[in-house]
């Protein structure tokens, strides 16, 4: 039974945006600023900017420190805890309870989620890199999957637009395969990182170390960034930033949308399917379960933007089953739910550096260094054992007082205390992030046997990293070690801790863009081929993964698609 007591006109908007994370926030901002009355449906609770209850807490503010009791993890967070860092006392409130929102897995898949206004834009890693034509032509060049329907030139102005508003700090390097952006001043490398940078430049042609490009305001511009403040190097970002210094929907795009007077944000609104008009073949609106009352509602609009995260948006498409499309809206190509990707990581090397004992650093820089991809760029860097490539993220630091817990010889007294306040030796680690190919048999599908807290069906993931990724990982560890060795590091250790799809929290694909409706779900404007007034602009749209952190690409794709949608509405084409 639907509860639209106010009549259809009262629940009809120009646009509906499903989700309020990175993509949803951008869709809300762009559509509202272009004059569309926009309804944003967020499945979780509202979190307004500044409502970050643990932002100023310290470990001693919690009984037992940051540690969450094992029995609580087992009951509610068994999968969310697989990262090893998400479920802590100061941040667990931003992650879902697996007990309420279950999913199943044929092979291990680690699906980290946050159901609240802002979504994972509150907890993301903030590393922000452009894709290049090396990435947009990769599938065509390798004869894998399908070709992207766009090239770098199509997205470049939208990267610039998104970077300007979001605020991305970084260093221009002039690399064709990692295009420079509209950067705020870069954060500073520390002395050991600078030493490694010099060594790489001297010893390895085609390799480069730069400071990470990250969505933190290092020099806010009030005319662009409003009341958002400068990064304080607190590095408590996953709790929400009261200064608004890193980009989040809560601090940036949603307030911008709200300021237009055109946005209505409705929390606790679980969109589960799209209402299709059989006569026009277009979407008429969406169906919603109220997360608090269990009531069912319908909302209507001329266009629908699905920005519920890659797997969330694909679930809504798959759960929109019609007489013509029993496998879901957008399934006519047979590709809906397929080509699931994530970056593989947790492989690299670490070592100790002797020297610079009189040097230290200030604050807790929420960033590290980045070594861009250097494999398979051209004939000289071509590998015979795998295709595509990887980049490294890492940092150098000095060991702290924790080394005194187990390793120091003295046990009590003044000498022990004096020793503890002395900085330990320099150490540096670098962790590779590698591209995963878009395998058709890496997929997700609806599971009607397992229901969530709202009584809705859930998802089953069946995905794995394959031979190409495994061959790449060997090189990721060995190449990291050889760079540390050349720079004079000691006690170098290569590591490969294993990586499972999902753990990178960069899930992509399952509703890919393409040039042909017979082989793809979305066209070059992120429109569903089977329903042109439905747009999907989150990670689901990705045709290949690159090895760069993908969120900046979602921002650019969303702004571009919103601009196109509004222009098409004006032409009466939607």
């Amino acid at each position: 039974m639907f509860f639209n007591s106010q009549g259809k006109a009262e629940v009809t908007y120009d646009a509906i945006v499903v989700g309020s994370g990175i993509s949803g926030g951008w869709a809300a901002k762009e559509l509202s600023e272009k004059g569309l009355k926009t309804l944003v449906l967020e499945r979780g609770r509202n979190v307004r900017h500044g409502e970050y209850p643990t932002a100023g807490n310290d470990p001693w503010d919690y009984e037992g420190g940051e540690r969450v009791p094992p029995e609580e993890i087992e009951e509610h967070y068994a999968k969310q805890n697989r990262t090893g860092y998400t479920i802590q006392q100061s941040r667990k409130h931003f992650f879902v309870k697996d007990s309420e929102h279950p999913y199943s897995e044929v092979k291990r898949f680690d699906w980290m989620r946050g159901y609240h206004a802002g979504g994972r834009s509150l907890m993301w890693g903030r590393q922000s890199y452009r894709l290049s034509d090396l990435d947009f032509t990769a599938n065509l060049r390798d004869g894998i999957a399908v070709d992207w329907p766009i090239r770098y030139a199509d997205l470049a102005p939208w990267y610039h637009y998104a970077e300007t508003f979001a605020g991305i700090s970084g260093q221009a390097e002039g690399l064709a395969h990692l295009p420079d952006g509209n950067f705020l001043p870069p954060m500073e490398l520390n002395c050991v990182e600078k030493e490694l940078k010099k060594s790489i430049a001297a010893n390895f042609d085609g390799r480069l170390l730069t400071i990470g490009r990250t969505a933190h305001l290092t020099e806010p511009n009030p005319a662009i960034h409003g009341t958002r403040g400068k990064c304080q190097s607190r590095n408590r970002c996953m709790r929400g930033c009261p200064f608004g210094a890193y980009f989040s929907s809560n601090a940036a795009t949603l307030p911008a949308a709200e300021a237009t007077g055109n946005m209505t944000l409705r929390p606790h609104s679980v969109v589960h399917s799209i209402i299709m008009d059989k006569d026009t073949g277009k979407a008429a609106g969406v169906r919603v379960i109220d997360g608090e009352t269990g009531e069912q509602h319908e909302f209507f609009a001329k266009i629908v933007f699905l920005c519920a995260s890659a797997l969330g948006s694909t679930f809504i498409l798959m759960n929109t089953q019609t007489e013509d499309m029993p496998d879901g809206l957008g399934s006519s190509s047979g590709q809906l739910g397929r080509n699931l990707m994530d970056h593989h990581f947790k492989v690299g090397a670490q070592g100790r550096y002797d020297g610079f004992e009189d040097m230290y650093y200030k604050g807790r820089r929420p960033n590290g260094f980045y070594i861009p991809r250097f494999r398979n760029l051209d004939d000289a860097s071509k590998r015979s054992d795998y295709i595509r490539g990887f980049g490294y993220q890492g940092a150098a630091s000095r060991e702290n007082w924790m080394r005194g817990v187990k390793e120091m010889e003295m046990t009590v007294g003044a000498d022990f205390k004096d020793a503890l306040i002395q900085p330990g030796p320099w150490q540096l680690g670098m962790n590779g992030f590698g591209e995963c190919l878009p395998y058709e048999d890496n997929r997700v599908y609806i599971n009607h046997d397992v229901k969530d807290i709202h009584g809705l069906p859930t998802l089953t993931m069946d995905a794995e990293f394959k031979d190409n990724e495994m061959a790449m990982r060997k090189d990721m560890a060995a190449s990291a070690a050889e760079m540390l060795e050349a720079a004079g590091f000691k006690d170098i250790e290569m590591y490969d801790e294993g990586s499972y799809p999902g753990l990178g929290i960069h899930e992509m694909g399952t509703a890919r863009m393409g040039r042909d409706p017979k082989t793809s779900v979305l066209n070059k404007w992120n429109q569903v081929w089977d329903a042109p007034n439905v747009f999907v602009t989150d990670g689901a749209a990705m045709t290949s993964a690159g090895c760069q952190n993908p969120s900046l690409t979602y921002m650019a794709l969303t702004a571009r698609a919103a601009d196109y949608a509004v222009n098409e509405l004006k032409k009466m084409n939607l």
Side-chain angles (χ1 to χ4, degrees):
M1 179 176 182
F2 294 98
F3 292 84
N4 289 336
S5 59
Q6 298 164 306
K8 185 174 181 179
E10 294 295 322
V11 291
T12 298
Y13 298 79
D14 296 322
I16 290 173
V17 176
V18 182
S20 62
I22 281 181
S23 301
W26 269 98
K29 170 185 176 297
E30 295 302 304
L31 297 171
S32 297
E33 289 183 339
K34 294 178 188 300
L36 271 59
K37 294 297 183 183
T38 302
L39 175 65
V40 179
L41 295 169
E42 166 52 52
R43 66 178 296 153
R45 68 188 185 280
N46 197 10
V47 176
R48 296 186 65 85
H49 175 53
E51 295 177 350
Y52 313 129
T54 62
N57 285 4
D58 288 300
W60 49 85
D61 291 320
Y62 306 98
E63 185 177 354
E66 286 277 20
R67 179 176 171 272
V68 176
E71 56 272 21
E72 182 179 345
I73 290 176
E74 183 178 0
E75 180 177 1
H76 295 302
Y77 301 108
K79 292 176 178 172
Q80 302 304 296
N81 191 51
R82 287 176 175 177
T83 63
Y85 63 86
T86 45
I87 302 304
Q88 298 183 3
Q89 293 291 5
S90 62
R91 58 183 65 156
K92 67 179 183 181
H93 54 287
F94 283 147
F95 290 87
V96 303
K97 291 183 176 179
D98 296 309
S99 53
E100 296 177 349
H101 305 283
Y103 66 93
S104 44
E105 49 201 339
V106 176
K107 306 178 186 73
R108 176 174 164 175
F109 189 95
D110 304 328
W111 193 19
M112 304 299 120
R113 294 156 290 163
Y115 292 162
H116 48 260
R120 292 186 299 194
S121 78
L122 276 178
M123 309 97 80
W124 69 307
R126 308 168 306 285
Q127 292 290 298
S128 301
Y129 303 94
R130 296 186 180 196
L131 299 184
S132 72
D133 270 337
L134 181 72
D135 306 299
F136 288 116
T137 62
N139 284 356
L140 178 64
R141 186 175 58 251
D142 295 331
I144 287 177
V146 298
D147 186 20
W148 278 86
I150 59 174
R151 292 293 183 258
Y152 178 68
D154 297 307
L155 210 53
W158 297 103
Y159 275 131
H160 183 95
Y161 180 76
E163 288 163 344
T164 302
F165 181 78
I168 309 297
S169 70
Q171 178 69 51
E173 300 287 359
L175 300 177
H177 60 284
L178 190 74
D180 295 328
N182 183 30
F183 296 137
L184 297 174
M187 295 182 180
E188 186 177 4
L189 297 169
N190 63 42
C191 57
V192 171
E193 293 164 349
K194 290 176 181 175
E195 194 69 12
L196 178 61
K197 177 184 176 73
K198 285 193 296 185
S199 172
I200 291 174
N203 295 295
F204 299 94
D205 288 339
R207 302 190 195 183
L208 176 152
L209 184 150
T210 188
I211 186 68
R213 297 171 177 176
T214 187
H216 287 251
L217 297 183
T218 52
E219 190 173 277
N221 181 344
I224 299 172
H225 306 119
T227 59
R228 294 174 58 199
K230 184 177 180 179
C231 179
Q232 304 295 304
S233 290
R234 300 165 75 242
N235 201 16
R236 292 176 170 175
C237 310
M238 287 183 68
R239 309 176 188 184
C241 180
F243 304 95
Y246 74 82
F247 173 85
S248 68
S249 298
N250 312 64
T253 46
L254 292 177
E258 187 174 31
T260 67
N262 289 325
M263 182 191 76
T264 300
L265 173 63
R266 190 182 195 280
H268 302 294
S269 300
V270 184
V271 176
H272 58 82
S273 58
I274 293 172
I275 304 167
M276 292 298 297
D277 184 325
K278 289 184 62 175
D279 296 330
T280 65
K282 296 179 182 178
V286 299
R287 299 184 183 89
V288 169
I289 292 178
D290 189 294
E292 289 188 306
T293 66
E295 295 173 344
Q296 298 201 44
H297 296 266
E298 292 181 335
F299 296 96
F300 302 91
K302 300 169 187 172
I303 56 174
V304 175
F305 268 66
L306 291 184
C307 303
S309 82
L311 300 185
S313 292
T314 293
F315 169 83
I316 294 168
L317 291 173
M318 297 175 90
N319 202 42
T320 302
Q321 294 156 354
T322 66
E323 192 173 307
D324 296 333
M325 288 174 281
D327 294 325
L329 177 62
S331 63
S332 60
S333 65
Q335 294 299 318
L336 182 64
R338 296 189 176 276
N339 313 293
L340 177 57
M341 299 172 284
D342 186 19
H343 291 132
H344 60 100
F345 71 126
K346 301 189 76 171
V347 57
Q350 56 196 9
R352 174 178 56 81
Y353 193 85
D354 293 335
F356 299 110
E357 284 86 1
D358 59 340
M359 302 291 286
Y360 205 70
Y361 38 83
K362 182 179 180 182
R364 292 174 288 192
R365 185 190 62 192
N367 192 14
F369 63 76
Y370 188 67
I371 298 175
R373 173 178 166 180
F374 51 85
R375 295 299 197 202
N376 293 322
L377 302 179
D378 50 28
D379 288 343
S381 60
K382 188 175 180 59
R383 298 280 300 194
S384 61
D385 50 346
Y386 64 87
I387 61 173
R388 310 294 169 96
F390 56 88
Y392 290 108
Q393 298 177 28
S397 62
R398 299 196 71 165
E399 289 186 14
N400 63 19
W401 63 271
M402 290 293 291
R403 74 190 190 283
V405 174
K406 296 178 180 177
E407 300 172 358
M408 300 189 73
E409 295 180 357
M410 62 287 281
T411 54
V412 293
D415 290 344
F416 179 60
K417 289 193 290 186
D418 290 343
L420 288 185
I421 63 174
Q422 297 300 315
W426 284 97
Q427 57 190 354
L428 184 145
M430 61 170 73
N431 183 27
F433 281 77
E435 179 167 356
C436 169
L437 298 177
Y439 302 105
E440 190 172 284
D441 59 345
N442 275 356
R443 67 187 189 117
V444 58
Y445 54 89
I446 287 185
N447 184 339
H448 291 278
D449 295 326
V450 178
K451 302 292 178 64
D452 69 6
I453 192 173
H454 308 296
L456 294 171
T458 56
L459 288 175
T460 295
M461 290 69 150
D462 184 1
E464 63 181 354
F465 295 131
K466 301 180 187 290
D467 291 346
N468 194 68
E469 292 76 38
M470 294 302 136
M472 188 185 298
R473 294 178 72 81
K474 296 177 183 175
D475 189 26
M476 293 162 81
S479 296
E482 70 177 2
M483 286 187 279
L484 295 183
E485 184 175 5
F489 281 78
K490 307 288 175 50
D491 300 332
I492 298 168
E493 296 179 6
M494 292 191 294
Y495 65 87
D496 184 346
E497 299 174 353
S499 184
Y500 296 92
L503 196 60
I505 321 183
H506 295 163
E507 58 267 23
M508 292 170 275
T510 65
R512 69 186 180 193
M513 298 170 71
R515 297 174 181 270
D516 187 340
K518 294 179 181 177
T519 57
S520 59
V521 179
L522 309 175
N523 69 10
K524 66 179 181 180
W525 298 107
N526 294 81
Q527 293 171 282
V528 177
W529 287 110
D530 297 336
N533 65 335
V534 178
F535 294 77
V536 182
T537 66
D538 53 30
M542 298 290 279
T543 310
S544 67
C547 64
Q548 302 94 315
N549 300 55
S551 294
L552 181 63
T553 296
Y554 307 162
M555 298 185 208
L557 286 173
T558 303
R560 176 177 179 268
D563 184 70
Y564 174 80
V566 172
N567 287 332
E568 290 299 291
L569 279 175
K570 290 177 180 176
K571 296 174 186 173
M572 308 289 286
N573 289 339
L574 292 176

